[in-house]
Structure formats: structure tokens, C-alpha cells
């Protein structure tokens, strides 16, 4: 508990750093959100700047932004008129979360399955096959996987729609979730294999074998121990899924956070881009923490250390 | 202490004995050579547009094909404001009969060679007081092994030229990440204490962030350029290297030769340069081989979103984005560059694994 509290406290300066860095980075860049091909008259530009508070000194703007963030207000979006960033999140977050959660599940099941298969049949046919699959999933980028899936399942076989969201209809979810999961499957499989091979050679497993425990029980024990590092990389995995969502949502035309982020960035929508960066950073930090805590709970040695107050 | 030569030689002999590693290295070499030399050999300039040969499917056959000739010539005749009365084909040449209501001006015939499909035309006969021309022109034989794109450019040539950019960025950005990571990690590990704690805390913080989002912000808000891409990618990817080198440095710090150098009063910078960094080289090389594909992938990702290398230059990611847009009508526009990218990434990954095995001290024979 104390550990969680300390981690949360440590997250505050990190978050401040993130906000400050992206805020000043964006403002120092040339160009503004209201630049059009044919420039607006000066008076209109001044009005717009006043309405959005862009005429104030930069430091004051930053302080104001921080203040409104503390109240949970991410400000109005510059490019989606009449909508606030929070409203955009309310629309996009369910889409991205659904995709991300499903992809995470698929990646965990397939990745752990492949990795375990490789480790239990070490050096054999399955080990090589699974290694090959893992390597391929890491080497084929999602922006190649997605069009391939679209060609095969969408255009040739006509089993599944090529894109669109349609309120999250199951058929529309399949291809994006697979695309999102593929690169994670590879890394989870590799990690599982390495950890499991190490565990299977460990003393306690040898002891269990010597005691004549049935192989299935040994496998269960070993797998449980080997899953600790997999859980521990929950944060990086989540970051990978969020990054992937940018591509996946663009290719499949899904109204999620990643898509809003790209659109917002291209339109110099300061508040939307800032908001997304903050949101994503918070999400990844929380999942990092969750991953570490769960990994610690699974690991009896870490539990022991925690009890001793380290 | 092991010199660079022996380390390199050891790795090389081990690598040659590993068939997968050898195959990967050769594949990589082939792609590199193809990208460097290929564009001169394909017979097409990378930016050359054949407006009459748009979205040609990949094949070994020569273009324009016999049944394409008629429509192509109809279009050309329309541009010349002449009527196409007759087309006859005879070994490598076309014989055209063109006519008009008025006297024809033979200068319009320059449209033929300008289309890139035909050679210099020769006028065989002028009939009907110059209202009719009989012209013979050699038909060029153009081959598009991987097809042409939506504008009529040769995909093979474009993929090879784009490969130069992708490979260059992969190499240079890796070097950037390498230099930052190695010096950062070596300093943190060697100095130790509070400085080390602060420096590594920073790495931890950066690790926890979705960095790609920053890179996108950076590239959108400051106009994307090659230099900026290199800096942005290098800035993301140095973290692993820093951790690795720090761990190595801490292991080396207590070794006799380092302490001897310290006892001789050599400055810290010199010790780092001459004694620490060279000895971390083995694992660093392995990590760098793994880094190159990640960098290439990240750059392709950015180019795919339209944030990477800007037109007229392209990288594989940019070409793949073009292909994804024309997926339904011409899937080969995607297939060409995607195949190059995937082949490169796979062989780099395999080479990295093979190098890791080759340099693994636990496997070192007597």
C-alpha cells in the first residue's frame, strides 16, 4: 500500500514534466491553429486569439491550463468546433479501450500459449515453429498486416467488413483487434518462453520432479512463476497498444483516441493534442503501476520484501 | 582485455557457422546492394511517370502490350489532333496511318517519343496533299517486374530508391541512439552515486512514457525534415542502450585494469574512452543490430502516417501508405515495398539473434 502511494507521488513530477514539455514544444513551433490557406483578417485573428486566451503571456497560459486540468477540464477543442476535448474523449475512449482490451486478451492468450508450447517442447518442431511465428509477428509491421487482412477477409473472402465502427458491432472489431494484437503476441511469446525455460531448469521444479509430481501440476507451477515477467511488462505492452491504435484506427477508419490525436496534430489543435498526450501518459503510468503491483503480488519473494518494509 | 580485431573475428567465424545468421547477413547484403545499384539497372528513372501505363500489374512481359497499343495510340492521336486510321504491328515497330481535315504538321509527331513508349518516328509517306501521314515508329520494350503505381511509376525502382532512405535512416538513427546511450550509460555507471541515481531515474521516467506520441507532436509542429526524424528517433531509442552500457560499466568499474588506470592518475574521460567503452562493445553491437530494425520500423510508421520523409523523397513506409490507399484496384502497389521492408526487418532480427549467440560469453569455446 505504501509502495503504491509512493509510486503515485513519484508520478506527479513525471506528469508535470510531460505536460510542460509538450505544452512548450507545441507553442514554440511555428504556425497556429487558425492558419488557413488564405489568412483571416488581422482583427479576426486577434479576436480568436483573445477568445482562446492565446494572446496572454505563455507562462500565464500554462498556469491556466494546469489549473483547468486539475479541475478535469481539458479545454475546448480547436478543430472540432463546439466540442470540448473531454467530450471528444468520451466518444473516442470507449472505442480505443474496447479495441485495446480485446487485443490485450488475444495477445496474452496467443502469446503465452505460443511461448509455453515452445518452452515445454524445447528444441523440437513446436519450438522452432513458435519462434518463427514470434519473429514474423515482430517483423511484419501493423500497417502491412492491416491491409493484408483487409484484402483477404474483406475483399476476397468477403467475410468481414473492411472498416468502420458501427457502434462496435462484433464483425467490425475482428480485423482491428487482430492487427493490434499481432506485434504484442510476438514479444509476449518470446518473454514467456525465456522465463519458462529458466523456471523449468530451476531448483524448485527439479525438486518437484524428484518428488514425482504429475507433469501437469509441475507445468502449472512453472507457468505461474514464469508469468511474472509477462505481467510486469503490462505498461510497455499498453504503450505499444496505444501506439498501434494510431495506425489501426487510421486504416480501419475507427473513431478512437489515436485517430483524434493524428487529426488534432495535423490541425494544430493544441488542446486536443495536449489532452491526448496527458491522457495517454496517465494511462500508461497507471498500467505500469498495475503491472508492477500484480507482478509483485504473484512473486512470493517480493511479498516477503514488502512485509519487511523494503 | 580483448582487442576489437579478435572480437570481430570470433563473431565472424561463429556467424559463418550459423546457417540462419549467414543467410540473414547475405539477404541483408543483397537488399543493400540492390538499393544502391538497382535503380541504375531497372531502366527507369525513379520519378519517371508513364501516364499511359498506370497500375500495370507485375509481370515479366514487355509493355506496351499488343492489345494495349490501339487505345494508347488513340489517346496520342487525340492529343496530336489527328485521326488514327490504321495500326499495323511488325517486329518491334508500329506502322500508323494518321489523317486530318487540314494539312498535317509533322512536328506533332514528337508526341510519340515523348510518351516514352515509342522511339523516334520516321515518315514513310505523305498522301492526299499532306492530309494523311504514314509513320513508322519503333515500340519501346518497357518491363515492370513489380508493376506500376497509380501515377504510372515503376514500383521496383521506387522501392529500391525508397530503400536507400529507409536503410540510411536506420543506420544513422541507430548511430545517434548508440552515441547518446553509450555515453549516458557509461557516465552514469562509472561515476555512480547520486548522479547515477538521478540519471537512471530519468531513464525510468522516460521509459514509462508513450514516446511515439511525442515524436508525432514534434514532427507535426516543426516541419518534418530528415534531420528532425533522425533526432526524434534517436531520442526515443537510446534508453535501452543506456541501461545496457550502465550495467556493463558497473561490472567493469572494479576490474584491475580500470583501477590500474585510476592509480596512474588518468582522467575519468580517458578511462571511459579507452578502457570502459571498448569493453562494452560486444553486447552493444548485439543491441545495435536489434535496434536497426526497430528504427526502420519506427521511421516507416511515421512515413506511413505522412509525417516521415517528405515528397519527392520516399521511404518504404511512404510507399506502403500509397499502396494501402489503392488496395482494392492494385494490391501490388503495396506488395512491392512491403516485401522489401519485411525481408529487411526479418533478416535484421535474425542477424541480431545470431550475433547474440555468436557473442554470448557463456557459449564461448576454449
Amino acid at each position: 500500500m505504501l509502495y503504491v502511494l509512493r509510486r503515485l507521488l513519484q508520478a506527479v513530477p513525471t506528469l508535470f514534466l510531460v505536460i510542460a514539455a509538450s505544452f512548450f514544444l507545441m507553442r514554440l513551433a511555428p504556425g497556429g491553429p487558425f492558419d488557413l490557406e488564405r489568412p483571416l483578417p488581422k482583427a479576426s485573428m486577434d479576436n480568436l486569439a483573445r477568445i482562446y486566451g492565446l494572446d496572454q503571456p505563455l507562462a500565464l497560459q500554462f498556469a491556466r491550463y494546469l489549473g483547468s486540468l486539475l479541475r478535469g477540464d481539458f479545454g475546448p477543442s480547436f478543430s472540432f468546433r463546439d466540442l470540448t476535448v473531454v467530450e471528444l474523449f468520451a466518444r473516442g475512449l470507449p472505442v480505443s479501450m474496447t479495441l485495446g482490451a480485446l487485443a490485450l486478451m488475444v495477445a496474452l492468450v496467443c502469446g503465452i500459449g505460443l511461448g509455453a508450447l515452445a518452452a515445454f517442447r524445447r528444441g523440437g518442431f513446436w519450438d522452432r515453429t513458435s519462434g518463427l511465428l514470434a519473429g514474423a509477428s515482430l517483423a511484419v509491421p501493423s500497417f502491412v498486416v492491416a491491409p493484408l487482412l483487409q484484402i483477404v477477409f474483406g475483399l476476397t473472402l468477403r467475410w468481414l467488413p473492411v472498416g468502420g465502427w458501427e457502434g462496435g458491432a462484433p464483425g467490425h472489431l475482428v480485423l482491428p483487434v487482430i492487427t493490434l494484437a499481432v506485434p504484442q503476441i510476438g514479444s509476449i511469446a518470446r518473454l514467456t518462453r525465456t522465463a519458462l525455460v529458466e523456471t523449468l531448469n530451476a531448483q524448485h521444479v527439479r525438486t518437484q520432479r524428484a518428488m514425482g509430481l504429475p507433469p501437469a501440476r509441475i507445468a502449472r507451477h512453472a507457468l505461474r512463476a514464469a508469468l511474472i515477467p509477462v505481467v510486469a511488462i503490462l505498461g510497455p505492452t499498453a504503450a505499444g497498444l496505444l501506439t498501434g491504435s494510431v495506425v489501426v484506427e487510421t486504416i480501419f477508419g475507427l473513431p478512437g483516441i489515436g485517430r483524434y490525436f493524428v487529426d488534432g496534430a495535423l490541425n494544430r489543435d493544441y488542446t486536443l493534442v495536449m489532452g491526448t498526450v496527458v491522457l495517454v501518459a496517465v494511462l500508461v503510468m497507471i498500467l505500469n503501476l498495475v503491472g508492477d503491483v500484480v507482478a509483485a503480488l504473484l512473486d512470493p519473494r517480493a511479498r516477503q520484501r514488502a512485509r519487511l518494509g523494503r | 582485455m580483448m582487442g576489437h580485431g579478435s572480437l570481430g573475428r570470433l563473431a565472424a567465424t561463429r556467424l559463418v557457422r550459423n546457417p540462419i545468421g549467414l543467410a540473414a547477413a547475405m539477404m541483408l547484403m543483397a537488399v543493400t546492394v540492390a538499393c544502391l545499384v538497382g535503380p541504375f539497372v531497372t531502366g527507369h528513372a525513379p520519378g519517371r511517370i508513364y501516364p499511359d501505363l498506370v497500375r500495370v500489374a507485375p509481370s515479366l512481359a514487355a509493355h506496351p502490350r499488343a492489345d494495349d497499343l490501339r487505345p494508347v495510340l488513340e489517346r496520342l492521336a487525340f492529343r496530336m489532333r489527328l485521326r488514327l486510321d490504321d495500326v499495323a504491328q511488325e517486329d518491334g515497330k508500329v506502322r500508323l496511318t494518321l489523317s486530318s481535315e487540314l494539312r498535317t504538321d509533322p512536328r506533332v509527331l514528337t508526341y510519340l517519343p515523348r510518351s516514352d513508349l515509342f522511339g523516334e518516328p520516321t515518315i514513310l509517306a505523305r498522301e492526299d496533299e499532306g492530309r494523311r501521314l504514314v509513320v513508322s515508329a519503333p515500340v519501346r520494350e518497357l518491363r515492370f517486374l513489380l508493376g506500376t503505381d497509380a501515377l504510372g511509376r515503376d514500383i521496383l525502382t521506387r522501392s529500391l530508391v525508397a530503400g536507400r532512405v529507409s536503410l540510411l535512416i536506420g543506420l544513422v538513427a541507430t548511430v545517434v541512439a548508440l552515441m547518446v546511450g553509450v555515453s549516458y550509460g557509461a557516465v552514469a555507471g562509472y561515476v555512480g552515486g547520486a548522479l547515477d541515481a538521478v540519471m537512471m531515474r530519468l531513464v525510468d521516467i522516460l521509459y514509462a512514457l508513450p514516446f511515439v506520441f511525442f515524436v508525432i507532436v514534434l514532427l507535426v509542429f516543426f516541419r518534418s525534415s530528415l534531420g528532425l526524424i533522425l533526432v526524434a528517433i534517436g531520442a526515443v531509442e537510446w534508453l535501452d542502450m543506456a541501461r545496457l552500457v550502465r550495467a556493463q560499466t558497473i561490472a567493469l568499474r572494479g576490474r584491475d585494469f580500470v583501477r590500474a588506470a585510476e592509480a596512474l592518475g588518468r582522467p575519468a574521460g580517458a578511462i571511459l574512452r579507452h578502457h570502459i567503452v571498448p569493453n562494452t562493445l560486444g553486447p552493444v553491437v548485439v543491441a545495435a543490430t536489434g535496434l536497426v530494425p526497430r528504427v526502420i520500423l519506427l521511421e516507416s510508421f511515421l512515413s506511413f502516417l505522412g509525417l516521415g520523409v517528405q515528397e519527392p523523397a520516399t521511404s518504404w513506409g511512404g510507399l506502403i501508405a500509397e499502396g494501402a490507399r489503392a488496395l482494392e484496384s492494385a494490391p501490388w502497389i503495396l506488395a512491392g515495398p512491403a516485401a522489401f521492408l519485411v525481408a529487411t526487418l526479418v533478416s535484421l532480427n535474425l542477424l541480431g539473434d545470431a550475433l547474440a549467440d555468436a557473442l554470448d560469453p557463456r557459449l564461448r569455446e576454449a
Side-chain angles (χ1 to χ4, degrees), chain A residues 169-244:
Chain A
H172 289 259
L173 286 172
V174 178
L175 295 186
V177 167
I178 294 177
T179 311
L180 210 48
V182 162
Q184 308 303 329
I185 292 176
S187 50
I188 292 179
R190 285 193 160 188
L191 199 62
T192 309
R193 182 186 177 278
T194 316
L196 200 52
V197 165
E198 207 168 291
T199 317
L200 287 173
N201 288 332
Q203 301 275 354
H204 63 93
V205 173
R206 202 182 308 157
T207 311
Q208 287 172 348
R209 281 219 183 92
M211 284 165 63
L213 249 64
R217 281 244 340 248
I218 298 179
R220 216 172 55 224
H221 282 294
L223 201 55
R224 195 186 133 131
L227 284 187
I228 295 170
V230 177
V231 176
I233 62 150
L234 188 63
T237 308
L241 287 173
L242 283 164
T243 310

Side-chain angles (χ1 to χ4, degrees), chain B:
Chain B
M1 184 178 149
M2 202 165 47
H4 301 189
S6 67
L7 182 70
R9 216 171 319 124
L10 185 72
T13 27
R14 288 257 185 90
L15 206 58
V16 170
R17 262 184 263 151
N18 180 346
I20 294 178
L22 192 63
M26 275 158 64
M27 180 78 198
L28 210 58
M29 218 112 84
V31 171
T32 313
V33 171
C35 288
L36 291 177
V37 182
F40 302 110
V41 182
T42 55
H44 307 282
R48 179 78 146 283
I49 292 172
Y50 300 99
D52 293 308
L53 295 173
V54 166
R55 296 204 184 99
V56 170
S59 74
L60 291 168
H63 290 274
R65 279 181 311 225
D67 35 336
D68 285 343
L69 269 180
R70 182 92 202 183
V72 165
L73 286 165
E74 295 273 8
R75 275 201 293 277
L76 280 173
F78 179 76
R79 264 179 249 164
M80 293 188 263
R81 289 160 204 277
L82 296 172
R83 208 169 47 236
L84 185 66
D85 291 338
D86 187 46
V87 181
Q89 211 176 355
E90 47 206 24
D91 59 337
K93 290 189 169 188
V94 277
R95 194 189 166 96
L96 314 170
T97 314
L98 299 158
S99 67
S100 157
E101 305 296 318
L102 306 165
R103 266 181 73 89
T104 53
D105 184 346
R107 280 178 296 182
V108 298
L109 292 178
T110 51
Y111 274 106
L112 285 173
R114 217 190 280 166
S115 75
D116 285 326
L117 306 179
F118 303 97
E120 256 340 291
T122 44
I123 299 171
L124 298 179
R126 306 185 63 153
E127 297 163 357
D128 199 6
E129 293 170 3
R131 288 198 197 108
R132 187 157 41 208
L133 284 176
V134 180
V135 179
S136 162
V139 182
R140 302 251 327 258
E141 285 194 0
L142 300 166
R143 282 168 210 281
F144 304 99
L145 299 183
L146 297 181
T148 62
D149 67 8
L151 289 177
R153 290 174 289 192
D154 180 42
I155 291 174
L156 177 61
T157 314
R158 293 202 82 207
S159 299
L160 293 173
V161 171
R164 290 180 184 170
V165 177
S166 286
L167 291 174
L168 181 77
I169 290 180
L171 226 58
V172 178
T174 302
V175 171
V176 172
L178 207 64
M179 290 198 306
V180 177
V182 168
S183 33
Y184 193 94
V187 167
Y190 185 67
V191 177
L195 184 71
D196 178 36
V198 171
M199 282 171 92
M200 282 301 129
R201 185 81 216 131
L202 185 67
V203 170
D204 288 343
I205 289 175
L206 294 178
Y207 240 111
L209 295 179
F211 236 116
V212 174
F213 286 79
F214 282 103
V215 172
I216 292 176
V217 170
L218 196 70
L219 290 179
V220 170
F221 283 82
F222 296 87
R223 222 158 41 88
S224 176
S225 69
L226 203 61
L228 192 59
I229 294 170
L230 292 176
V231 170
I233 295 178
V236 179
E237 299 287 358
W238 63 273
L239 296 171
D240 283 322
M241 207 61 82
R243 280 191 172 171
L244 178 81
V245 173
R246 170 177 174 270
Q248 292 278 319
T249 306
I250 289 175
L252 288 168
R253 200 170 50 187
R255 297 276 291 275
D256 286 343
F257 62 89
V258 176
R259 292 168 67 179
E262 281 167 353
L264 286 169
R266 302 214 51 188
I271 294 176
L272 277 177
R273 259 197 311 281
H274 298 303
H275 299 294
I276 305 268
V277 171
N279 277 296
T280 62
L281 224 59
V284 165
V285 167
V286 172
T289 327
L291 198 55
V292 178
R294 274 175 43 196
V295 168
I296 293 179
L297 195 60
L298 182 53
E299 189 280 324
S300 307
F301 170 83
L302 295 171
S303 287
F304 179 83
L305 292 174
L307 302 172
V309 187
Q310 299 296 309
E311 290 280 340
T314 42
S315 71
W316 285 326
L319 292 184
I320 289 172
E322 269 176 40
R325 279 194 288 274
L327 195 61
E328 251 172 286
S329 54
W332 56 86
I333 301 180
L334 175 86
F340 274 104
L341 177 62
V342 170
T344 308
L345 292 178
V346 168
S347 35
L348 273 167
N349 280 334
L350 291 176
L351 186 65
D353 292 350
L355 260 181
D357 286 348
L359 289 171
D360 190 343
R362 276 173 298 181
L363 298 174
R364 193 161 289 166
E365 305 127 297

Side-chain angles (χ1 to χ4, degrees), chain A residues 15 18-19 65 69 74 273-283:
Chain A
L15 203 55
V18 169
I19 297 169
Y65 185 72
L69 269 189
F74 285 72
V273 171
M274 281 291 310
T276 317
V277 170
V278 173
L279 181 76
V280 167
V282 170
L283 275 177

Side-chain angles (χ1 to χ4, degrees), chain A residues 226-298:
Chain A
L227 284 187
I228 295 170
V230 177
V231 176
I233 62 150
L234 188 63
T237 308
L241 287 173
L242 283 164
T243 310
S245 75
V246 174
V247 163
V248 169
E249 286 169 13
T250 308
I251 294 183
F252 289 101
L254 309 174
I257 294 291
R259 177 102 167 283
Y260 285 139
F261 175 71
V262 174
D263 288 349
L266 292 174
N267 290 322
R268 292 178 183 268
D269 190 335
Y270 289 150
T271 43
L272 181 55
V273 171
M274 281 291 310
T276 317
V277 170
V278 173
L279 181 76
V280 167
V282 170
L283 275 177
V284 171
M285 280 195 283
I286 290 176
L287 287 167
N288 262 319
L289 180 58
V290 171
D292 287 350
V293 169
V294 174
L297 290 179
L298 285 174

